[in-house]
Amino acid sequence: MSKRTVFITGASGGIGRAIAKRFIVDGYKTILHYNTHKNRVKELKDEMESEGYEDMYVFGANLTNPKELDTLVKRLEKDDIVIDVLINNAGIKMDAKIDDMTDDQFKSVIETNVTGTFMLTKRFIPMMKQQNYGRIINISSGLAQHGSVGKINYGASKAAVENMTKNLAYELGPYGITVNTVAPGLIETEMTKDVTDKEKEAYIQKIPIRRLVEGKDVAQVCAFFADERSGSISNQVVGVNGGLR
Ligand SMILES: NC(=O)c1ccc[n+]([C@@H]2O[C@H](COP(=O)([O-])OP(=O)(O)OC[C@H]3O[C@@H](n4cnc5c(N)ncnc54)[C@H](OP(=O)(O)O)[C@@H]3O)[C@@H](O)[C@H]2O)c1
């Protein structure tokens, strides 16, 4: 049986990189997606190749640009690449309390995290339907379910991602496609570099395991959802948060 192929959005970011490493090591043909940081995915590819791994491909596209997504799909078709597993990991945050949050800050986060996820997923579904097989894994956040301060745009976007999972699981189940969500807690990446040590410490004290989780912990759940043997598991949300609820 040939290798399964995984497409990881935002493999140039902290969590995406950890997910990508896991799937490369697990033997998947891996598409490393980036938006602005091509150098980061190229470095990852070089690093993994130096360790003897192969079958990695680098694809760039801005998820908010439908033309770039159309071009990406054409390039996949031209290269005879069929996606079995899509991990919608790319995302942004632009925090501000409501008095200070601009309309553009609100719209940008929704456009990237929700509309971008929709536009890419929609373009990959025909490939999955045609082979009657697919695994879609959406990365939301604990903030999809919990309130916070300064995150109305981000929280709303992640709640929308979780709801998209629910609807898509029903729509796509008959085609052998599962759709699941992984909801991480705070993980140290570029996205969270503004979180102070004091805030981190306070957060850790609330977590049952008393430590932050890492990208590789998110990758662990993604690997489980992506597995061929996980075909009965759809429409689930798994928190990767050290037990914080
Ligand atoms: N870190 C956390 O504590 C945490 C917690 C819960 C959930 N999450 C979620 O986990 C995911 C990954 O977060 P992270 O912490 O790894 O963040 P990160 O290091 O900032 O990475 C974000 C990734 O998203 C990509 N991206 C941003 N805008 C894009 C666009 N318009 N089109 C295509 N790609 C775009 C970036 O690509 P370029 O760098 O190439 O531009 C980058 O690869 C996000 O969905 C985030 O909301 C993170």
Side-chain angles (χ1 to χ4, degrees):
M1 166 126 206
S2 63
K3 283 181 173 186
R4 290 290 185 192
T5 302
V6 61
F7 189 106
I8 302 154
T9 70
S12 46
I15 296 175
R17 179 185 167 85
I19 298 171
K21 273 186 141 178
R22 170 64 187 260
F23 278 78
I24 294 164
V25 170
D26 282 358
Y28 284 77
K29 181 171 176 170
T30 306
I31 318 294
L32 305 165
H33 161 267
Y34 68 94
N35 181 29
T36 55
H37 292 104
K38 186 176 187 176
N39 56 323
R40 293 185 183 164
V41 280
K42 283 191 83 175
E43 274 165 26
L44 174 61
K45 184 171 178 279
D46 290 347
E47 180 190 320
M48 297 309 280
E49 277 172 352
S50 74
E51 290 179 28
Y53 296 102
E54 49 191 22
D55 253 349
M56 289 158 263
Y57 303 83
V58 167
F59 277 67
N62 183 340
L63 290 182
T64 66
N65 184 329
K67 283 203 184 108
E68 286 189 26
L69 298 181
D70 288 339
T71 305
L72 185 151
V73 171
K74 280 198 192 109
R75 214 188 118 196
L76 288 171
E77 283 167 0
K78 192 168 150 277
D79 293 353
D80 273 332
I81 297 175
V82 177
I83 305 302
D84 301 301
V85 181
L86 168 61
I87 304 185
N88 286 311
N89 161 75
I92 58 166
K93 76 176 175 78
M94 289 185 182
D95 294 354
K97 289 187 186 173
I98 189 155
D99 288 343
D100 300 319
M101 187 175 289
T102 64
D103 294 349
D104 278 345
Q105 281 175 321
F106 190 87
K107 283 198 254 182
S108 291
V109 170
I110 300 293
E111 198 186 355
T112 304
N113 297 0
V114 185
T115 314
T117 298
F118 160 76
M119 291 200 298
L120 184 72
T121 305
K122 180 182 164 60
R123 283 164 175 76
F124 281 12
I125 283 169
M127 285 186 249
M128 292 183 177
K129 275 188 174 170
Q130 205 173 5
Q131 57 182 354
N132 213 35
Y133 182 91
R135 302 274 184 267
I136 298 172
I137 301 161
N138 295 323
I139 307 299
S140 70
S141 161
L143 293 167
Q145 300 298 328
H146 301 291
S148 186
V149 173
K151 295 183 192 298
I152 44 169
N153 49 1
Y154 184 79
S157 77
K158 293 301 184 178
V161 165
E162 290 195 5
N163 196 275
M164 277 190 336
T165 299
K166 285 185 193 166
N167 281 283
L168 276 181
Y170 275 92
E171 280 193 35
L172 301 177
Y175 301 94
I177 303 169
T178 65
V179 192
N180 290 290
T181 299
V182 184
L186 177 67
I187 294 176
E188 291 181 300
T189 67
E190 201 161 308
M191 180 179 275
T192 54
K193 65 179 187 297
D194 56 342
V195 180
T196 64
D197 286 346
K198 203 174 157 203
E199 286 167 335
K200 260 182 239 162
E201 200 38 55
Y203 178 79
I204 287 169
Q205 288 315 313
K206 289 193 247 163
I207 307 176
I209 63 168
R210 294 289 191 276
R211 61 175 170 81
L212 295 180
V213 297
E214 296 177 43
K216 65 179 166 56
D217 304 314
V218 175
Q220 169 74 7
V221 183
C222 291
F224 169 75
F225 282 142
D227 197 292
E228 285 178 19
R229 292 162 292 185
S230 299
S232 307
I233 301 156
S234 193
N235 198 5
Q236 302 301 313
V237 182
V238 172
V240 177
N241 50 32
L244 184 69
R245 284 167 70 106

